[in-house]
Amino acid sequence: GQNIDQPTEMTATEGAIVQINCTYQTSGFNGLFWYQQHAGEAPTFLSYNVLDGLEEKGRFSSFLSRSKGYSYLLLKELQMKDSASYLCAVWFSGGYNKLIFGAGTRLAVHP
Amino acid sequence: EAGVTQFPSHSVIEKGQTVTLRCDPISGHDNLYWYRRVMGKEIKFLLHFVKESKQDESGMPNNRFLAERTGGTYSTLKVQPAELEDSGVYFCASSQFSSTDTQYFGPGTRLTVL
């Protein structure tokens, strides 16, 4: 089966750094995505990791360890507009390719 | 370039009625996916089209749900008859290639069944 876990809620202060963790157990792994979703809007693509290590993209970085079934999304220099849900999704390759999502982490950034 | 669009944005219907949701993928994207998020739960895969063919429909809950993609462009998802538990947000996503390509999501259709 497939299981993806991430914290339900997190809070942080404007200008700070926050790390959102995601752990997964899946029988077929092809890569891991992070999406950002503001309330009532479409999930928007943030990052994709298929190999171990850190991928940096501006204020956002994503890390993957396939042996540990673990990823994190690092947000630096937090801004109020970063308040959103952050979705971890695994590409599952059992037969056909499809995305398996975690429940999402709701991040609240305070002044 | 236009993103993935979905219509309607909201739909409120009574139990037993029929509703049809529409998704227009990004132009040139052969792969189209439907997902659903019910209250408090994670986004769950429903099915995947490659052009007009159903590649994987393992996530479809039951035979009250029918998805079509005639001509390989836009897709419709019909729920007939709708039940209370069908309430949720239905997302559509598209990608150019199927294998690990980034999926771009639409804003979703919020369906409420009363």
Side-chain angles (χ1 to χ4, degrees):
Chain A
Q2 306 97 43
N3 192 46
I4 299 177
D5 290 309
Q6 47 182 136
T8 304
E9 290 186 359
M10 297 183 72
T11 59
T13 306
E14 194 175 16
I17 299 174
V18 71
Q19 178 174 312
I20 303 174
N21 296 325
C22 172
T23 58
Y24 63 89
Q25 299 92 39
T26 178
S27 52
F29 178 83
N30 262 359
L32 188 144
F33 287 87
W34 283 96
Y35 283 85
Q36 178 193 60
Q37 186 181 21
H38 287 97
E41 297 182 10
T44 54
F45 169 76
L46 289 178
S47 68
Y48 172 57
N49 293 71
V50 63
L51 299 176
D52 290 350
L54 188 68
E55 295 276 345
E56 297 188 73
K57 195 184 291 185
R59 293 190 299 115
F60 293 2
S61 304
S62 58
F63 172 84
L64 175 66
S65 169
R66 289 171 296 171
S67 62
K68 295 181 180 177
Y70 168 68
S71 173
Y72 67 73
L73 180 69
L74 193 71
L75 292 78
K76 304 175 189 174
E77 302 168 18
L78 280 172
Q79 302 174 9
M80 298 296 290
K81 67 177 182 180
D82 297 331
S83 294
S85 286
Y86 291 86
L87 311 175
C88 173
V90 170
W91 254 118
F92 169 64
S93 64
Y96 298 107
N97 295 326
K98 56 188 174 187
L99 280 179
I100 308 296
F101 279 87
T105 298
R106 198 160 49 249
L107 173 67
V109 180
H110 298 290
Chain B
E1 179 184 315
V4 177
T5 58
Q6 293 186 243
F7 182 83
S9 57
H10 293 81
S11 180
V12 181
I13 60 173
E14 292 187 350
K15 176 183 172 182
Q17 289 185 320
T18 298
V19 63
T20 300
L21 315 180
R22 174 173 169 141
C23 168
D24 286 80
I26 293 172
S27 178
H29 282 194
D30 287 341
N31 295 273
L32 187 149
Y33 305 81
W34 282 100
Y35 295 86
R36 177 174 73 170
R37 186 172 200 169
V38 297
M39 182 81 75
K41 300 283 189 179
E42 69 275 17
I43 296 174
K44 281 196 170 176
F45 168 85
L46 296 179
L47 89 159
H48 169 206
F49 283 99
V50 177
K51 296 185 181 179
E52 68 275 8
S53 300
K54 291 177 186 173
Q55 182 79 0
D56 179 1
E57 52 184 331
S58 61
M60 294 287 264
N62 51 61
N63 59 10
R64 295 185 294 103
F65 289 75
L66 175 64
E68 294 180 322
R69 194 183 181 196
T70 307
T73 54
Y74 71 90
S75 174
T76 58
L77 179 65
K78 182 161 74 173
V79 186
Q80 178 183 32
E83 298 288 345
L84 299 179
E85 64 265 25
D86 301 333
S87 295
V89 182
Y90 290 76
F91 291 102
C92 175
S94 72
S95 68
Q96 189 167 16
F97 307 109
S98 63
S99 181
T100 68
D101 197 19
T102 299
Q103 294 182 20
Y104 296 92
F105 281 76
T109 294
R110 181 173 294 279
L111 174 65
T112 303
V113 182
L114 302 175

